[in-house]
Amino acid sequence: MATKRQLAERALRILQGGDLNIDSDIDLREIMLHVDSERDNIIQQKLVENYRPRKSVSGMTAHEILGNYISEHTVSTSFDSTRSQRYARLPQVPMDLPDNSGVLYVNSADDTSVSFAKMSPGLERTYAGLPSLAASRKSYYTQIGINLFFDEDSAPTSVIIGMVAVSSSLSDVDTYPVSPGDESAIIKSIVDLYKIMAQVEQDNITDNIDQ
């Protein structure tokens, strides 16, 4: 799999008809923005075409649809003295997806069999200490901004986070999480876009000459 930068360079080579030219009027950084936009659009489109709500009997789950787009990170937790809770900071910005699918899973790095379910921040204090919550033997986290806060009784020292990140928050030099067929589709879409832009510019020049 390629990096974001490599995908942009491949598109630029096609547009330039060969090797990269440092004097090109097309900025590589601009193309990388289009790469990000195309990946985000592909993810949204696949969800629209295949996804069914979590309670639906038929249809694929978000994890099945988005498996190729997951970024996985092991993150150490820190202690927040104001909330008196341990928390992990998300290394990237999760996409805003149905059923909170931007963050697909959070597991303890020390014991991967221990997973944490998401709880609404508004319910966290309501259910804290209730016997029913303790009896469920489930571990929870609440997300506030880019921080995941854990219950004091089950707070891990580090966690494994699987997430579908907003493309612009992904590194330019790390492996770009896409499906196998997406790379060529992204490049083709960008090349087609620039060809249309070039044609529009040429038409404007021709119109001015005719006038």
Side-chain angles (χ1 to χ4, degrees):
M1 293 176 66
T3 67
K4 181 193 306 186
R5 185 180 185 89
Q6 288 170 337
L7 290 177
E9 288 175 344
R10 284 162 59 184
L12 187 55
R13 284 193 181 94
I14 295 173
L15 290 168
Q16 292 180 342
D19 294 334
L20 295 180
N21 183 356
I22 60 174
D23 297 324
S24 171
D25 56 352
I26 303 175
D27 193 326
L28 184 64
R29 292 170 297 180
E30 177 183 319
I31 294 185
M32 285 195 286
L33 292 177
H34 290 300
V35 171
D36 285 339
S37 178
E38 289 298 325
R39 176 181 177 272
D40 288 345
N41 288 338
I42 287 172
I43 292 172
Q44 296 286 357
Q45 183 178 349
K46 287 193 175 182
L47 278 175
V48 169
E49 293 175 350
N50 301 294
Y51 182 62
R52 296 294 182 274
R54 186 177 293 168
K55 296 180 181 179
S56 174
V57 175
S58 62
M60 301 172 67
T61 66
H63 200 145
E64 291 173 318
I65 298 170
L66 301 174
N68 288 309
Y69 305 98
I70 296 174
S71 302
E72 188 173 87
H73 308 273
T74 300
V75 182
S76 298
T77 60
S78 304
F79 185 76
D80 185 305
S81 57
T82 302
R83 294 176 58 93
S84 297
Q85 288 178 284
R86 296 195 70 82
Y87 70 93
R89 177 157 295 180
L90 293 173
Q92 297 162 341
V93 179
M95 292 188 72
D96 185 12
L97 301 174
D99 288 341
N100 301 309
S101 301
V103 178
L104 281 167
Y105 56 86
V106 180
N107 299 330
S108 170
D110 299 322
D111 183 356
T112 54
S113 67
V114 177
S115 61
F116 297 86
K118 185 174 184 178
M119 178 181 286
S120 167
L123 299 176
E124 178 188 15
R125 299 302 178 186
T126 303
Y127 287 100
L130 291 181
S132 58
L133 186 63
S136 70
R137 296 184 179 180
K138 291 184 177 179
S139 301
Y140 295 90
Y141 74 88
T142 57
Q143 181 178 345
I144 300 178
I146 59 172
N147 293 328
L148 308 183
F149 289 91
F150 299 90
D151 180 72
E152 296 92 327
D153 296 332
S154 59
T157 56
S158 61
V159 289
I160 299 172
I161 302 173
M163 59 187 296
V164 180
V166 172
S167 299
S168 59
S169 69
L170 296 169
S171 167
D172 298 346
V173 296
D174 290 337
T175 299
Y176 203 55
V178 292
S179 291
D182 290 340
E183 293 186 4
S184 57
I186 288 172
I187 292 171
K188 182 180 184 304
S189 181
I190 293 171
V191 170
D192 289 346
L193 172 64
Y194 275 89
K195 285 182 177 179
I196 293 172
M197 291 167 58
Q199 184 60 52
V200 170
E201 183 178 354
Q202 184 60 43
D203 290 345
N204 289 335
I205 293 173
T206 303
D207 290 343
N208 291 333
I209 293 175
D210 292 341
Q211 292 176 3

